[in-house]
Amino acid sequence: MYDIVVVGGGVIGGMILRELTRYRLNVCLVEKENDVCMGQSKANSGIVHAGFDAQVGTLKAKFNVLGNRMMPKVAKELGVKYVNNGSLVVAFSDEEVKTLEQLKQRGEQNGVEGLEIIDRQKLAQIEPNISGKAVGALLAKSGGIICPYELTIAAIGNAMDNGAHLETNFEVVKIEGEYPEYLLFAADGRQITAKAVVNCAGINSQKIANLVGDEYFTVGGRRGEYMLLDRESGDLVNHTLFFTPTKLGKGILVSKTVDGNVILGPTAEDVDFNDTSTTSQGLNSVAEKAKAMCDNVPFYNVITSFSGVRAYCDRHDFIIEQSPQKRGFFHVAGIESPGLTSAPAIAEYVVNELIGGLFELKPNQNFNPNREPDYFFKNLTAEEKNKLIKSNPAYGKIVCRCEQITEGEIIRALTVNPKATDVDGVKRRTRAGMGRCQGGFCQPYVAEIIAKELGVCLCDVTKSGGESKLLTGESK
Amino acid sequence: MKEFDVLIIGGGPAGLAAAISAYDNGAKSVCIMERDNRLGGILNQCIHNGFGLTRFKESLAGPEYADRFVKQVETRNITVMLDTTVLSLSGEKTVTAISPDRGYFEVKAKAVVLAMGCRERSRGALNIAGARCAGIYSAGTAQKYVNVKGFMPGKRIVILGSGDIGLIMARRMTLEGAKVVAVCEIMPYSSGLRRNIVQCLDDFGIPLYLEHTITKIEGKDRVTGVVVSKVDENRRPIAGTELHFDCDTVLFSVGLIPENELTKNAEIPLAKNTRGAIVYQNRETLCSGVFACGNVLQVHDLVDFVSEESELAGRCAAEYAIKGISAKGGVNVVNGKNVTYVLPQKLDLDLQSNGLIKLYFRVSGAFRNCVIALSCGDKVIVQKQKKIAVPGEMETLVIPKDKLSLIDGDLTLTLEA
C-alpha cells in the first residue's frame, strides 16, 4: 500500500510528486494516458508570470508570486531551460494606460517587484517590431519563460529517480474506502491502495472529486489555439507581450520560447469535452491579433499550430484543500493560469501544510533534487562531444537534423525516468520532430529506434499510445 | 585538419554527379559527406520508373539511376563519408561534421559544393485545422515507410497536393492495396508532370479535385476523415461547398523547400523566389568557392536535370580549386512578367567558361501560344515561342554565344501570353 497516490501526471501532480519524495513516503502517480504530461501541461503558453494579474488576496496571487521566485532554482535543479526575458503588457490607448497603472498597483500589492510603466519610445527601443499603434507598456522584469512539458517530465522523472512509482494508462474510474485505506480502480481493472489521495487531474479533477461524492465545485474546459514560428524568426520579440486586459478579454500573447521559437496564442473558447483540435476561425483570430501586436509577423514561417484545453473553475481561484467530507483526500483543482508558474509553490504548500497535517514528514536522506537534461548534445563543447561519441557512437548519429538531436539522446529518452514509449513522448523529451520539417524526415528513424528498444514490431509503434499506431500493416 | 580540393555536402543525385565531374575535371581530392548510411539520397525510396529518360534514353527506377552514379564514384579515388552530418560551414570553407566513427570533426576544402537537396513542406506550415493524430504524413515520409521499411501508413487515403510525389504516392498506395479516395489541389492546375497525372491518377480512376483544399482533419487517436472545400480565386474556402471523405490517412504533397540551413548559417545570400542560393552561371554562390546544385538550389522536375546541373557545378568547383577561376561582378538576371523565378540570377560575362549559358525558369500560370523573351533594357537578346507553358514544368532558354556581346546591363526574362 502506498502512503499517497497522486492522480494526474501534469505539472501540478508532477511537482507535488517530486516534493513528496523529499520525505520518507511511499508514493505513486497514476496517469490515464500512455505518457505523463498529456493534458493542459503540454499545450500552454509556457509563461512564468510575474503576478500582477491575479486579484489581491487570492491563492492565485499568493502562489504566483511565490512560484515565480522559486522557478529559477527548480529549473536549474531539474535541468530545464528557464529564461528571465521579462514581460510587457502593451497599451494601445490612453484608456489602456490607465489600466496599466491599476495592474502595476495590484502587482505591487501582490508583492511583485520590478514593475515599471514605460512609454512608446522605450517600448519601441526594446521591442523593435511592436505595432506602431502601441502607446506604452507595463514592464515586469520578473516575467519569464519555461517549457511546460520539459518541466513536468523532469519533475516526474526526478521524483521517480527518488523512489516514486508511476502507473500510466491508469484511468481512475472508481474510488472506494477512506483514510487510511483508499482503493482506486482503473478502467482496465488494475487497483491501487493508498492511505491518502491527491487529486491533480486537471480538466478531469471534477470527475475525480465526484467519485468520492464531492460535488461542490465545477471544472470546465476552455480551448486555446496557438501557432508556432520557426526559430529563424525567433528575434521577432524579446519579451513576452500581452495585450492590456479589457472587458472583451485578455487577447493573445506573443512570446519567444526557451527553444528559440515564437509562440502566438491562445484563443479562449469554452468546449464541452477535451477537444484539442484546431479550428480555422481560431487560427485566423490568433493571426489577426498577432498582427495587431507586432508588425512584420512572418506567417510564412509558421511550423505548426496546436491547441490545448485548460481547466477553469467556477470559484475563479485555485482549489487547494482537503475534501470537506473525506479525510486524506485532497483536491488541487481548477488550477487555471497562472498554474504553471505557481506549481512549485503549490507543491510545497500541499506537502507541508496539507499532507504534513496527516503524515509525519521525515526527510529522505537520499533525496537528490538534480536531474540531467533530456537533450543536451548540441550544447556540449567539441571535446565533450568527442568523449561521449567515443564511449557511445550513437551520439555521433544525428537523427533529427532540424533540431540536431542524436540517436544517443533518443535511446536515452526511452531508458531514463519517465521512459518514453511512443513517438510523441520521444518528441517532448528530446525535441526530435519539433523542428521545421515537423518529423517528416526523422519520424521513421525515431519509430525504428523505439521498436528496437521496446522489442516490438515497427507496425506496433504508436504516435501517442492507444489506437494511434503509425502504420496499418506490412506492404505487399 | 584534413584538406580536400572539393568537398561535396550530400550524397544524393546532385552530390554524386558533382563529385564525379569534379574528379574528372582534375580535382585531386574529392570528398562526399552523406548523412545516411548509403549514397543515393531520395532516389533510394523512389522505386517507380521514369528516371533517366532524358539522360540515358531509358526508363530506370530511382535506385537504378543512383546506382549508375554510385558505381562511377566507386571506380574513382573519391572519399565517401557515410553517416556523416555536416553541422556548419564557414565562409573560409571549413566544415564541421559529426559521425559515429569520426566523432565531431572539422575539414577544410578549397571549394565546397552544396548538394543537400530539399525537404517537404509539412502540414504544420499550412495551418490546416483539425486533429493532430496518427495517420498524417508528408508524401515522402509515407513513401519511405512503404518502399524502404516495407510497411503501410494507411488503408484509405486522401492526398492534398498534386505535386509529383503526391501523384506517385497515389499510384503506389493503390498498387499496395490501399484505396485513394481523392487527390485535392488548391490551384486550378496540378504542379506535377502531365505524364504523372495520366499514369498515376487517370489510369487508376483516382479523382483529382482541382481548386479544393482540406479544411479540417477529423480523428482522435487516428484520422477518421477529412472535410474538403472548394476555394475561390484567392484560394479561400467557400462556405457551403464542403465534401466529406472517410479515410484513415492524409498525405501532404504541398511543395518542396530547398534545405538551406547550412547556407544561411554561412551567411550566403539566398534568392527569395527559389529559396536557394543566388548563383552565377557556373553555380558559384556569392561566397567565392562555394557552389550549389540540384534541389538545394532550385527544385527540379527531373533528376536528369539535377545531374546535368551538378556536373556543371562539380566541374566549376574543380576549376576553382585548381585554377582559382571564380565568378564576380556581372549583371543580374531578373524574373519579369509571368515568370516566377529565373536561375542563374547573375552572369559574369568575363568568366572563362566553355559551356553555353542556359537559363532555367518557371512560369506563373498555364499559358498557351506564348512568347518568352530575354531583354536588356529595350534590346531583346533572345526570344522563343512556346505552345504550352505551365508552372509544373521547368522551362529553359539558351543564350547563344554570339548574343553575349549584346548584353550591357541587367537582363529581364518575361513571358507574353
Side-chain angles (χ1 to χ4, degrees):
Chain A
M1 181 160 68
Y2 292 107
D3 290 319
I4 296 137
V5 61
V6 176
V7 180
V11 72
I12 300 296
M15 294 302 288
I16 290 174
L17 187 74
R18 174 178 186 250
E19 200 59 32
L20 286 168
T21 58
R22 288 182 194 274
Y23 304 99
R24 282 156 65 185
L25 296 166
N26 188 13
V27 295
C28 178
L29 185 142
V30 296
E31 164 58 50
K32 79 175 167 63
E33 301 292 334
N34 193 46
D35 193 8
V36 299
C37 199
M38 288 290 282
Q40 66 192 101
S41 297
K42 88 168 149 111
N44 63 72
S45 313
I47 307 302
V48 180
H49 292 277
F52 51 78
D53 209 34
Q55 296 300 329
V56 178
T58 58
L59 292 179
K60 278 187 181 177
K62 173 180 159 186
F63 290 121
N64 183 345
V65 175
L66 279 172
N68 176 289
R69 287 183 198 144
M70 292 168 76
M71 200 59 93
K73 180 167 175 254
V74 171
K76 193 159 183 241
E77 288 174 345
L78 292 174
V80 169
K81 295 175 298 299
Y82 158 81
V83 181
N84 176 209
N85 65 327
S87 46
L88 288 165
V89 184
V90 182
F92 288 85
S93 66
D94 294 342
E95 183 100 347
E96 291 190 355
V97 174
K98 280 183 206 147
T99 311
L100 297 185
E101 296 283 358
Q102 290 162 10
L103 282 179
K104 180 167 181 277
Q105 221 169 49
R106 191 200 294 169
E108 282 162 355
Q109 275 177 283
N110 287 345
V112 181
E113 287 164 9
L115 292 173
E116 183 193 338
I117 292 186
I118 60 171
D119 61 12
R120 155 99 211 149
Q121 198 189 350
K122 169 129 194 236
L123 175 60
Q125 219 170 49
I126 59 175
E127 288 298 344
N129 290 313
I130 196 78
S131 156
K133 290 182 183 149
V135 297
L138 172 64
L139 169 64
K141 293 186 183 114
S142 60
I145 48 178
I146 199 159
C147 172
Y149 41 86
E150 193 182 10
L151 177 67
T152 305
I153 289 166
I156 293 170
N158 180 243
M160 293 170 78
D161 293 344
N162 284 307
H165 293 260
L166 168 68
E167 294 285 339
T168 52
N169 295 306
F170 194 107
E171 182 179 2
V172 178
V173 290
K174 191 165 83 172
I175 299 173
E176 287 181 353
E178 54 191 73
Y179 178 81
E181 190 171 349
Y182 282 102
L183 185 54
L184 283 75
F185 296 84
D188 64 2
R190 276 180 288 165
Q191 297 174 20
I192 278 181
T193 53
K195 289 178 188 158
V197 180
V198 188
N199 168 17
C200 309
I203 185 156
N204 295 303
S205 47
Q206 185 191 339
K207 270 190 213 161
I208 298 295
N210 292 164
L211 292 178
V212 290
D214 279 343
E215 297 186 341
Y216 67 97
F217 61 84
T218 311
V219 172
R222 189 164 287 165
R223 175 163 61 190
E225 300 185 39
Y226 293 92
M227 283 189 216
L228 198 71
L229 303 182
D230 193 306
R231 275 190 281 125
E232 192 180 272
S233 300
D235 55 4
L236 177 72
V237 293
N238 300 309
H239 300 74
T240 300
L241 308 185
F242 298 96
F243 283 93
T244 306
T246 66
K247 283 175 198 126
L248 298 171
K250 269 166 68 167
I252 65 154
L253 62 84
V254 176
S255 181
K256 202 185 272 271
T257 72
V258 283
D259 293 295
N261 300 91
V262 169
I263 190 167
L264 315 172
T267 53
E269 180 197 356
D270 291 354
V271 286
D272 292 337
F273 60 105
N274 200 9
D275 179 3
T276 58
S277 55
T278 54
T279 65
S280 47
Q281 301 92 306
L283 296 174
N284 287 340
S285 139
V286 169
E288 285 312 311
K289 287 175 179 163
K291 274 190 248 174
M293 180 65 91
C294 290
D295 295 335
N296 316 313
V297 181
F299 290 106
Y300 60 86
N301 253 341
V302 170
I303 59 171
T304 191
S305 47
F306 61 94
S307 87
V309 175
R310 48 197 195 264
Y312 74 93
C313 180
D314 58 355
R315 200 187 281 187
H316 303 298
D317 197 5
F318 299 154
I319 295 170
I320 306 173
E321 61 206 25
Q322 186 163 217
S323 157
Q325 46 93 24
K326 282 275 188 184
R327 191 162 178 239
F329 205 104
F330 303 97
H331 299 302
V332 188
I335 309 296
E336 42 189 70
S337 178
L340 175 65
T341 314
S342 306
I346 291 175
E348 206 175 77
Y349 172 83
V350 167
V351 175
N352 290 343
E353 304 301 322
L354 302 183
I355 305 286
L358 217 54
F359 292 85
E360 192 189 343
L361 299 179
K362 284 180 277 186
N364 169 4
Q365 304 296 346
N366 299 322
F367 178 78
N368 175 5
N370 300 312
R371 183 176 187 269
E372 295 294 321
D374 281 321
Y375 66 94
F376 50 88
F377 189 82
K378 69 176 168 189
N379 303 323
L380 299 179
T381 64
E383 208 173 304
E384 291 167 330
K385 280 178 180 155
N386 270 320
K387 208 174 140 195
L388 195 53
I389 297 170
K390 213 163 203 176
S391 70
N392 181 357
Y395 283 100
K397 177 74 188 168
I398 303 278
V399 173
C400 167
R401 56 188 171 175
C402 300
E403 297 294 310
Q404 291 189 4
I405 305 300
T406 64
E407 186 180 349
E409 289 160 290
I410 292 168
I411 295 172
R412 194 177 171 278
L414 297 162
T415 46
V416 303
N417 288 326
K419 291 176 188 162
T421 59
D422 53 40
V423 171
D424 282 357
V426 167
K427 175 169 140 179
R428 279 191 294 277
R429 285 162 180 79
T430 65
R431 288 189 66 74
M434 285 217 184
R436 49 182 67 100
C437 91
Q438 288 287 297
F441 172 76
C442 70
Q443 196 207 62
Y445 293 92
V446 170
E448 253 179 356
I449 297 169
I450 294 173
K452 194 173 155 212
E453 289 297 315
L454 266 52
V456 299
C457 169
L458 184 61
C459 58
D460 288 325
V461 174
T462 66
K463 183 171 185 287
S464 57
E467 301 300 311
S468 68
K469 281 183 188 172
L470 298 175
L471 303 164
T472 55
E474 290 181 24
S475 57
K476 277 184 185 169
Chain B
M1 199 189 303
K2 208 171 168 71
E3 183 164 338
F4 293 97
D5 277 351
V6 179
L7 173 70
I8 289 148
I9 305 177
L16 290 168
I20 295 160
S21 167
Y23 188 88
D24 291 352
N25 281 284
K28 288 181 189 62
S29 53
V30 177
C31 173
I32 303 175
M33 289 188 175
E34 164 57 42
R35 63 159 187 260
D36 211 338
N37 58 11
R38 58 192 290 203
L39 293 171
I42 202 71
L43 288 172
N44 289 325
Q45 69 182 59
C46 300
I47 63 169
H48 54 282
N49 56 19
F51 297 94
L53 285 167
T54 307
R55 187 182 179 95
F56 298 115
K57 308 290 175 236
E58 53 183 314
S59 177
L60 304 173
E64 288 175 316
Y65 186 95
D67 197 48
R68 296 209 172 181
F69 290 83
V70 173
K71 285 221 167 76
Q72 290 200 52
V73 167
E74 283 166 353
T75 58
R76 288 164 175 79
N77 189 16
I78 292 173
T79 306
V80 176
M81 297 186 184
L82 297 176
D83 279 320
T84 303
T85 303
V86 174
L87 299 173
S88 70
L89 161 71
S90 80
E92 288 74 47
K93 296 179 279 291
T94 300
V95 154
T96 310
I98 187 170
S99 86
D101 303 337
R102 291 184 176 81
Y104 181 84
F105 64 104
E106 286 187 339
V107 298
K108 214 173 150 33
K110 289 189 183 128
V112 171
V113 180
L114 307 174
M116 293 90 78
C118 57
R119 66 165 183 270
E120 294 179 280
R121 216 161 142 223
S122 75
R123 177 255 178 127
L126 302 180
N127 268 332
I128 288 181
R132 295 171 303 288
C133 50
I136 303 168
Y137 295 102
S138 66
T141 309
Q143 190 179 45
K144 178 146 209 155
Y145 276 123
V146 179
N147 294 349
V148 180
K149 307 291 178 196
F151 289 94
M152 291 293 284
K155 293 176 180 159
R156 203 178 155 84
I157 326 278
V158 171
I159 299 176
L160 179 63
S162 62
D164 287 310
I165 313 171
L167 299 174
I168 295 287
M169 280 311 290
R171 175 175 65 184
R172 186 83 200 113
M173 297 301 286
T174 308
L175 292 173
E176 288 289 345
K179 173 84 183 157
V180 178
V181 290
V183 175
C184 305
E185 168 61 58
I186 195 166
M187 301 303 284
Y189 47 80
S190 161
S191 59
L193 294 173
R194 238 161 304 156
R195 74 175 197 219
N196 282 336
I197 304 254
V198 175
Q199 294 169 10
C200 299
L201 300 188
D202 298 352
D203 289 359
F204 294 90
I206 298 168
L208 172 62
Y209 293 83
L210 294 174
E211 297 188 279
H212 278 75
T213 191
I214 294 177
T215 41
K216 191 180 179 193
I217 300 175
E218 299 165 348
K220 195 171 180 300
D221 283 352
R222 174 95 200 179
V223 174
T224 54
V226 293
V227 177
V228 166
S229 303
K230 194 170 185 346
V231 297
D232 63 20
E233 61 277 13
N234 299 316
R235 313 289 140 231
R236 287 181 180 273
I238 304 168
T241 61
E242 294 82 3
L243 298 168
H244 186 272
F245 294 101
D246 288 333
C247 61
D248 62 16
T249 304
V250 187
L251 300 187
F252 284 86
S253 173
V254 287
L256 298 170
I257 302 170
E259 185 102 317
N260 272 302
E261 277 63 42
L262 287 173
T263 326
K264 281 183 213 167
N265 290 338
E267 298 183 346
I268 295 171
L270 302 183
K272 272 199 178 121
N273 46 17
T274 56
R275 297 180 81 163
I278 294 170
V279 290
Y280 284 94
Q281 71 266 35
N282 62 347
R283 298 302 183 269
E284 188 173 6
T285 67
L286 299 188
C287 176
S288 157
V290 177
F291 297 77
C293 56
N295 283 358
V296 77
L297 185 59
Q298 57 176 331
V299 177
H300 291 261
D301 307 329
L302 297 176
V303 71
D304 309 60
F305 298 141
V306 169
S307 302
E308 179 189 76
E309 175 170 83
S310 305
E311 281 167 344
L312 169 65
R315 169 168 64 80
C316 296
E319 286 172 358
Y320 179 93
I322 302 159
K323 303 179 204 155
I325 297 175
S326 181
K328 52 187 116 5
V331 299
N332 297 307
V333 190
V334 183
N335 54 306
K337 190 176 172 191
N338 297 328
V339 177
T340 48
Y341 81 79
V342 55
L343 188 142
Q345 297 88 348
K346 283 177 123 26
L347 298 180
D348 176 357
L349 301 166
D350 299 327
L351 191 71
Q352 300 158 276
S353 171
N354 47 14
L356 287 174
I357 296 177
K358 193 174 183 184
L359 302 178
Y360 293 75
F361 60 96
R362 284 187 194 273
V363 299
S364 62
F367 300 98
R368 277 177 185 277
N369 299 321
C370 49
V371 179
I372 288 153
L374 180 71
S375 24
C376 180
D378 297 338
K379 277 179 292 186
V380 174
I381 309 290
V382 202
Q383 75 172 33
K384 75 168 180 182
Q385 302 266 338
K386 266 305 270 187
K387 270 203 169 137
I388 295 174
V390 291
E393 305 205 10
M394 190 188 278
E395 301 289 341
T396 58
L397 185 71
V398 173
I399 311 178
K401 271 196 173 157
D402 60 337
K403 300 283 185 188
L404 290 176
S405 58
L406 297 175
I407 301 173
D408 54 6
D410 288 352
L411 297 158
T412 307
L413 187 72
T414 52
L415 179 148
E416 289 295 341

